[in-house]
Amino acid sequence: MSAGKDTWRKPPFIASPALRYGLYAVAAVYFVVTLATLPIDWERVSDGLTRAQRIFSGAFPPSFDRAGLLFDGFMESLKIAILATAGGIAVSVPLAFMAAGNISVKPVYLLGRGIIIVARSFHPVIVAIIFVKAVGFGPFAGALTLLVYSIGFVAKLLAERIEEIDFGQVEAMRAAGAGFIATLAYAVLPQIMPRLVGLGIYQLDSNLRASAVVGIVGAGGIGATLANAFGRYDYDFALAITMVIVGVILVSEAVSGFVRKRIA
Amino acid sequence: MLKISKLTKRYGSGDPVLKELDLTVEGDQLTSVIGSSGAGKSTLLRCINRLVEPTSGSIDLNGTEFTTLNRRSLRIARRRIGMVFQGFNLIDRLTVMENVQSGRLGYISTWAALTRRYPREDIRHAYELMERVGIAHYANKRADELSGGERQRVGVVRALMQRPEILLADEPTASLDPKTSEQIMSLLRDLASELKLPVIINIHNVAEAKEYSDRIVGMRYGRIIFDGLPSRLGKAEMDEIYAGVPAQDRAQAGAAA
Amino acid sequence: MMSTETLHGAQDHWSRFTLRQRLLRYGGLALTLLVVGWALRSIDVIWAWVWDAPSQMADLFGRMMPPDPSNLPSILEAIWQTVNIATLATMIAVVVSLPVAYIAAQNTTPNRAALWVGRFILVSSRSVNTIIWALLFVAIFGPGIVAGIAAIMFRSIGFLGKLLGEAIEEIDRKPVEALEAVGASQFKIVLYAIVPQVMPAFFAVAILRWDINLRESTVLGLVGAGGIGMILQGAIDTFNWPEVSMVLLTILALVVFGEVVSTYLRKKIL
């Protein structure tokens, strides 16, 4: 049979050689062309490196002189995150029911999914800019932004959870003659509650993180403090803020992970 | 010839798992090591190629002292010992041929290993061995598409690809159904005589051990308490090997020592 | 968990939770309400603006309609740039993150020092947001796509490295043991026993990050780091709202496109 055979090649992942080499070629050409056409101005880079050096030497040692300002910024971020999470969950629950294929009716389902897709698609910074233009600078724009951000995440995952529920309980409630709201309350809510609490805690952590960023475009919180420091060339203060942000993020990640583990 | 003398293995500061154990295996014998769980069978096998580091003693394979080798020489020396595992230990997502050729990894260049361009001689050898155990037609299949018995055959071929001077098999049939497990045992026996290869097998199933081995070694708590032809293994010997409560036994060993 | 102490008595009440559980639940709820109340009362917003917000938003939305496609060619070019930033940065980050993941995984790291270096790289990369990385690289490279690629790349290394490191830590050790017994060198063990096991996670993580990077790349331009964000910023600064809505629509299309492509790739490869 195959005795005496002394050659072997690994069967290629893509069987057709034309397609395989074609794909390799396309990938290689794309990589080379895009890399080669990158507008890197080396003079500018060497210029920039000295500038970076200036930034770094200006940043060391980090200055905690204005710790009060830093603290205020953080408290604002925290409040923004809390309100956005609370509001986000309040909006997400009905939206998730709308966007759950097994509970909702088709047109409502499509509307719910559409809202979620739009909320998820835009980066919070873009949303923040729009809100800053619409309602002015400050924490209110930040809270609205993170509310949208929360909806995109919480409503999506909650809807997926609702779609996974054990439908037998719903049928049992319906068989017992319960109304729509009663069915939701007794057959669906208990099944999704743990997930909702978990998502809420996770989202609070996420929002705190994001609030550090949306502030850069004017939506309040610690990000605004950071952007101001950067704009005023107070690099030592900016570094202090960044360090505190990193620290708080690590702590909040640990806390949220711990709480979620306890709940689950 | 494999000559183990005064082999001791102790994990941490507890009782030794192997106690000054002596064992010599030569020729094309198939030796089965039996004993209840915790007797130290698996540790014994892994001490031979130093997957488990022995605490003291000597392991000599055809003139090479294993216990004193440094990392690099140990790697080269390990090529001479083939090993077959209870859980097959194949790389699931690679093809059967790649799994088989991984037995040659100690010999071939890194480039050949990376590009899967194996030496012609190795490929011919692989096909011969796979033919011999009946898996040649699976060369291009992924290892996880095979049944348990077929997977263990791949494991055996991988070990034989090393052209080993001795073959160690750690419970090679424990994950297989009775019929397949007999097939693997008879395969190992036949290979031992065909390739003039000494084989040491750890095994739980005493009936299988008696049927297929040339020699049986019975272990109990780190010592060899039986060593002889399968026909000599009677009820009394069995009772001695398998009876006893571990704690009691350890206490006795402690009192004796 | 029902209370069982009155098992033989006449039972006329039932509650789903024990007293302790109920207290915990109500306590948690009260605490949450309290915290939200505190945040509401103390946050520094002008409430008149809040009540006014819906009409402001409606007004802005009105000005955005209908979207103005007259600038579409340059919008599409910027989108192409955005895709390039995300793709190139993901590719480079994937390559760079491999050795980082290798030294940051408990079971493959050469020594403790390397483990901590690896973890430090991962944590610092992950904790600093893309936008902050972008601010830094715009200062170094000047405004443009290069700063954007660097920013996305630096942020991605931590994400990819962390998930890949976890994948390496979760591998089945048995094939590794087999190849040690064969006498293979460490590098060949990695090649044959670890790489094949990590491969699926590797592709899944790379595709996931590419999808995320598409979204992240859309905002780089707001700090001058190239891509569609530049055009968006320009349109907002000039109050060209119809163009803003056009850009937003294009971004929406881009993100949906990214999701479709990554779902397709994931199905194809895994």
Side-chain angles (χ1 to χ4, degrees):
Chain A
M1 211 167 83
S2 54
K5 236 173 102 177
D6 61 359
T7 52
W8 180 82
R9 273 292 114 81
K10 188 177 169 67
F13 178 63
I14 302 165
S16 144
L19 183 62
R20 178 163 23 118
Y21 289 113
L23 276 180
Y24 289 162
V26 168
V29 166
Y30 171 82
F31 201 62
V32 169
V33 167
T34 43
L35 264 185
T37 55
L38 279 186
I40 304 186
D41 178 352
W42 290 109
E43 253 171 64
R44 178 66 184 75
V45 172
S46 69
D47 228 36
L49 283 177
T50 56
R51 191 181 327 192
Q53 208 174 7
R54 204 164 58 234
I55 292 179
F56 277 119
S57 60
F60 280 102
S63 145
F64 290 92
D65 291 346
R66 275 170 288 168
L69 211 59
L70 212 171
F71 182 76
D72 289 346
F74 249 110
M75 290 315 278
E76 190 163 85
S77 272
L78 186 62
K79 290 171 200 166
I80 294 174
I82 290 170
L83 292 180
T85 310
I89 287 178
V91 180
S92 290
V93 172
L95 195 59
F97 279 109
M98 286 168 64
N102 55 344
I103 295 225
S104 184
V105 287
K106 200 80 184 173
V108 179
Y109 168 78
L110 289 177
L111 178 67
R113 282 279 144 173
I115 295 175
I116 291 175
I117 288 178
V118 171
R120 273 172 65 72
S121 293
F122 294 109
H123 194 283
V125 169
I126 291 181
V127 180
I129 293 186
I130 307 289
F131 276 127
V132 166
K133 289 294 164 189
V135 303
F137 283 92
F140 181 50
L144 284 177
T145 303
L146 297 185
L147 189 118
V148 172
Y149 179 54
S150 308
I151 291 172
F153 187 78
V154 177
K156 174 168 191 273
L157 292 185
L158 199 59
E160 279 165 13
R161 179 68 188 85
I162 295 173
E163 286 174 351
E164 286 163 11
I165 60 165
D166 172 11
F167 218 71
Q169 299 181 30
V170 175
E171 280 170 352
M173 287 299 297
R174 283 192 185 151
F180 183 66
I181 299 293
T183 310
L184 289 189
Y186 278 87
V188 182
L189 262 186
Q191 293 193 55
I192 64 166
M193 209 54 204
R195 170 65 67 91
L196 183 60
V197 174
L199 282 175
I201 292 166
Y202 179 85
Q203 191 60 37
L204 184 63
D205 174 35
S206 250
N207 280 346
L208 190 59
R209 208 177 266 250
S211 105
V213 183
V214 297
I216 294 174
V217 292
I222 188 68
T225 323
L226 178 65
N228 282 338
F230 227 86
R232 276 189 268 123
Y233 307 106
D234 289 340
Y235 295 126
D236 50 353
F237 187 40
L239 180 63
I241 297 173
T242 312
M243 283 167 54
V244 175
I245 291 180
V246 170
V248 169
I249 286 174
L250 288 180
V251 170
S252 100
E253 193 177 81
V255 170
S256 112
F258 174 77
V259 175
R260 271 182 295 148
K261 210 175 269 171
R262 284 296 298 273
I263 287 180
Chain B
M1 183 173 86
L2 175 75
K3 192 167 164 22
I4 301 171
S5 34
K6 294 201 172 299
L7 180 66
T8 299
K9 172 62 190 177
R10 184 193 301 272
Y11 290 101
S13 57
D15 267 336
V17 181
L18 299 176
K19 295 161 189 160
E20 306 222 316
L21 183 141
D22 296 309
L23 179 67
T24 303
V25 177
E26 53 192 329
D28 51 1
Q29 271 186 338
L30 190 143
T31 306
S32 284
V33 181
I34 60 172
S36 50
S37 313
K41 305 190 301 281
S42 185
T43 306
L44 169 64
L45 229 56
R46 282 176 163 71
C47 275
I48 294 173
N49 59 6
R50 281 175 60 192
L51 282 180
V52 167
E53 207 58 54
T55 310
S56 66
S58 145
I59 294 156
D60 182 291
L61 177 67
N62 298 330
T64 309
E65 172 57 50
F66 265 62
T67 49
T68 52
L69 295 173
N70 63 21
R71 268 176 71 104
R72 208 185 144 67
S73 339
L74 173 65
R75 228 164 48 212
I76 292 167
R78 274 179 178 166
R79 298 173 191 167
R80 296 159 50 196
I81 303 179
M83 191 158 187
V84 177
F85 300 85
Q86 173 181 353
F88 323 132
N89 295 22
L90 302 181
I91 306 133
D92 283 345
R93 297 181 57 86
L94 296 187
T95 59
V96 166
M97 179 59 98
E98 285 165 291
N99 270 290
V100 165
Q101 292 291 351
S102 68
R104 297 296 292 172
L105 280 180
Y107 296 90
I108 63 174
S109 74
T110 304
W111 179 248
L114 180 69
T115 56
R116 270 67 169 164
R117 284 167 196 271
Y118 306 112
R120 282 169 171 263
E121 177 50 34
D122 287 354
I123 295 172
R124 183 183 305 121
H125 190 205
Y127 273 122
E128 282 165 12
L129 289 172
M130 289 194 288
E131 196 80 15
R132 168 65 187 80
V133 305
I135 53 167
H137 50 298
Y138 289 140
N140 285 343
K141 279 221 175 198
R142 262 172 54 160
D144 53 5
E145 292 174 58
L146 271 51
S147 71
E150 292 160 348
R151 283 157 69 78
Q152 193 55 292
R153 283 162 211 265
V154 177
V156 171
V157 171
R158 172 173 66 190
L160 294 180
M161 282 299 285
Q162 293 170 242
R163 299 185 189 271
E165 294 162 30
I166 187 169
L167 186 64
L168 312 177
D170 184 28
E171 312 259 7
T173 59
S175 312
L176 302 173
D177 62 66
K179 187 155 169 279
T180 331
S181 120
E182 297 207 347
Q183 288 171 353
I184 294 288
M185 284 303 285
S186 78
L187 177 68
L188 287 173
R189 181 186 58 192
D190 297 348
L191 287 171
S193 62
E194 278 169 38
L195 303 170
K196 303 270 169 286
L197 186 69
V199 178
I200 306 180
I201 301 182
N202 276 349
I203 189 163
H204 260 301
N205 186 330
V206 179
E208 264 179 17
K210 284 175 81 164
E211 188 180 346
Y212 294 100
S213 334
D214 303 309
R215 172 184 173 191
I216 288 190
V217 170
M219 280 184 75
R220 179 164 165 189
Y221 301 109
R223 289 180 212 280
I224 292 176
I225 58 168
F226 175 88
D227 189 346
L229 293 173
S231 53
R232 271 192 46 222
L233 184 72
K235 180 156 184 346
E237 288 81 7
M238 286 282 292
D239 282 348
E240 201 187 340
I241 294 169
Y242 283 100
V245 187
Q248 212 175 42
D249 213 87
R250 290 223 174 85
Q252 273 172 16
Chain C
M1 265 140 273
M2 279 176 264
S3 101
T4 49
E5 69 244 47
T6 53
L7 204 60
H8 301 290
Q11 216 169 358
D12 62 352
H13 72 278
W14 175 89
S15 67
R16 187 157 153 239
F17 302 104
T18 62
L19 185 64
R20 196 179 125 75
Q21 277 177 317
R22 249 185 310 173
L23 281 179
L24 266 175
R25 284 181 164 245
Y26 286 127
L29 189 64
L31 189 73
T32 311
L33 286 178
L34 216 69
V35 167
V36 172
W38 161 77
L40 261 181
R41 283 189 57 87
S42 63
I43 198 163
D44 181 23
V45 298
I46 299 162
W47 291 99
W49 289 12
V50 175
W51 310 133
D52 194 31
S55 67
Q56 291 291 340
M57 309 260 295
D59 179 46
L60 189 67
F61 189 73
R63 272 181 281 163
M64 281 187 183
M65 288 297 130
D68 169 21
S70 62
N71 209 6
L72 200 57
S74 54
I75 293 178
L76 288 180
E77 200 193 322
I79 281 281
W80 175 240
Q81 219 180 40
T82 307
V83 174
N84 286 343
I85 294 176
T87 312
L88 277 182
T90 310
M91 282 165 128
I92 302 170
V94 161
V95 174
V96 178
S97 68
L98 286 176
V100 182
Y102 180 78
I103 63 168
Q106 295 261 13
N107 52 348
T108 53
T109 189
N111 53 52
R112 285 215 82 69
L115 180 70
W116 286 108
V117 170
R119 294 215 168 141
F120 176 76
I121 296 175
L122 295 187
V123 167
S124 45
S125 156
R126 257 159 31 82
S127 324
V128 178
N129 193 281
T130 309
I131 298 288
I132 298 180
W133 281 119
L135 282 173
L136 181 70
F137 285 113
V138 167
I140 296 177
F141 292 110
I145 180 171
V146 180
I149 290 175
I152 297 276
M153 189 187 107
F154 269 71
R155 174 66 178 82
S156 303
I157 289 171
F159 180 91
L160 294 166
K162 179 169 189 269
L163 293 181
L164 283 179
E166 282 170 5
I168 294 178
E169 285 175 353
E170 279 163 18
I171 61 161
D172 179 6
R173 235 202 74 82
K174 286 200 245 141
V176 177
E177 186 190 31
L179 295 193
E180 279 171 358
V182 151
S185 65
Q186 180 62 27
F187 184 73
K188 285 180 194 152
I189 292 179
V190 171
L191 217 55
Y192 271 68
I194 298 181
V195 168
Q197 292 195 56
V198 174
M199 220 47 165
F202 172 81
F203 282 115
V205 168
I207 292 167
L208 173 64
R209 189 66 217 184
W210 178 75
D211 192 18
I212 297 175
N213 281 348
L214 268 188
R215 272 165 234 230
E216 300 247 292
S217 304
T218 58
V219 299
L220 290 169
L222 302 169
V223 292
I228 186 76
M230 299 268 225
I231 294 196
L232 182 64
Q233 182 81 73
I236 289 176
D237 286 346
T238 55
F239 304 105
N240 189 350
W241 296 110
E243 188 175 312
V244 170
S245 59
M246 192 64 222
V247 171
L248 292 182
L249 280 178
T250 328
I251 292 177
L252 190 64
L254 172 72
V255 171
V256 171
F257 161 79
E259 210 140 290
V260 170
V261 169
S262 56
T263 314
Y264 171 78
L265 284 180
R266 217 167 295 156
K267 262 199 205 122
K268 197 81 196 164
I269 285 176
L270 303 181

